[in-house]
C-alpha cells in the first residue's frame, strides 16, 4: 500500500456479505457493523471529495474525525440542496439512519430480542443501495 492510495470502502461490504453467508450470530452482528461502516465511510468521503458541506459547522464536524462525523454526514445528505434536488440525499440519509440503528443494536445490546436475520438482510440491501446511489450521483 502506498501513501497516496485510498481505501476502497466497498471491501467492507464484501466482508459483510461473506459474514452474512455463515449465519452465526457473531458473524451476523459483525456483518451489520461492516455494512454500516463501509456505507458510512463511502458517503462521508463522497461529501468531502465533492466539497458538499451544507454549512461551515457541518463541514467542521464532517472533517473533525470525531463521533459527530456520523450525524454530520447524515444531516448533510438530508439538507444539502444539490442532493435534495436529485431526491437521493434524503434516501441516503434514511438508509444511514437505519444502518446506524441496526449497528448500535447489535454492537451494544447483549440481548437477542430482535430479528437478527432481518436486520442483517436489510443492512445488506441498504448498503448496496447507498453504494449504487453514490456511484450514480
Amino acid at each position: 500500500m502506498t501513501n497516496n492510495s485510498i481505501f476502497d470502502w466497498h471491501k467492507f461490504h464484501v466482508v459483510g456479505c461473506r459474514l452474512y453467508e455463515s449465519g452465526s450470530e457473531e458473524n451476523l452482528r459483525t456483518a451489520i457493523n461492516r455494512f454500516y461502516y463501509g456505507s458510512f465511510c463511502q458517503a462521508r468521503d463522497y461529501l468531502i471529495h465533492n466539497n458538499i458541506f451544507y454549512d461551515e459547522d457541518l463541514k467542521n464536524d464532517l472533517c473533525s474525525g470525531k463521533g459527530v462525523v456520523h450525524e454530520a454526514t447524515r444531516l448533510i445528505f438530508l439538507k444539502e440542496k444539490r442532493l435534495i434536488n436529485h431526491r437521493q440525499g434524503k434516501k441516503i440519509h434514511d438508509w444511514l439512519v437505519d444502518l446506524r440503528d441496526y449497528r448500535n443494536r447489535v454492537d451494544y445490546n447483549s440481548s437477542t430480542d430482535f430479528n437478527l436475520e432481518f436486520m442483517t438482510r436489510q443492512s445488506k440491501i441498504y448498503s448496496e443501495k447507498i453504494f449504487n446511489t453514490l456511484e450514480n450521483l
Side-chain angles (χ1 to χ4, degrees):
M1 177 185 263
T2 65
N3 291 341
N4 294 331
S5 63
I6 297 174
F7 183 72
D8 177 4
W9 293 110
H10 192 264
K11 290 179 180 181
F12 273 19
H13 177 85
V14 173
V15 169
C17 291
R18 288 186 192 134
L19 292 165
Y20 178 48
E21 291 172 7
S22 83
S24 68
E25 180 178 357
E26 62 277 11
N27 284 348
L28 293 180
R29 286 175 179 256
T30 305
I32 290 170
N33 185 290
R34 296 300 83 191
F35 290 138
Y36 171 71
Y37 274 106
S39 301
F40 158 72
C41 290
Q42 186 74 11
R44 178 206 59 205
D45 287 357
Y46 176 86
L47 296 174
I48 292 170
H49 294 301
N50 290 286
N51 294 312
I52 300 173
F53 301 117
Y54 184 70
D55 65 28
E56 202 61 33
D57 289 338
L58 285 176
K59 177 181 179 178
N60 292 336
D61 289 346
L62 185 70
C63 298
S64 72
K66 298 179 182 176
V68 295
V69 68
H70 296 269
E71 183 177 6
T73 300
R74 293 189 306 269
L75 286 175
I76 293 168
F77 276 101
L78 182 63
K79 294 181 174 189
E80 174 55 47
K81 287 181 174 46
R82 289 175 280 179
L83 299 171
I84 293 171
N85 290 342
H86 285 285
R87 296 182 180 204
Q88 301 306 314
K90 181 169 181 351
K91 290 179 184 178
I92 292 172
H93 166 272
D94 292 348
W95 295 326
L96 286 172
V97 167
D98 288 343
L99 282 169
R100 176 75 185 251
D101 176 58
Y102 293 159
R103 187 201 62 92
N104 285 342
R105 288 166 68 186
V106 300
D107 280 357
Y108 301 119
N109 189 347
S110 298
S111 171
T112 58
D113 63 348
F114 46 78
N115 188 332
L116 186 58
E117 173 67 30
F118 171 80
M119 287 172 37
T120 311
R121 185 174 50 253
Q122 284 304 114
S123 294
K124 180 178 183 288
I125 290 168
Y126 293 154
S127 180
E128 289 168 353
K129 288 182 177 189
I130 289 170
F131 278 100
N132 289 335
T133 302
L134 290 170
E135 188 174 309
N136 292 312
L137 279 178

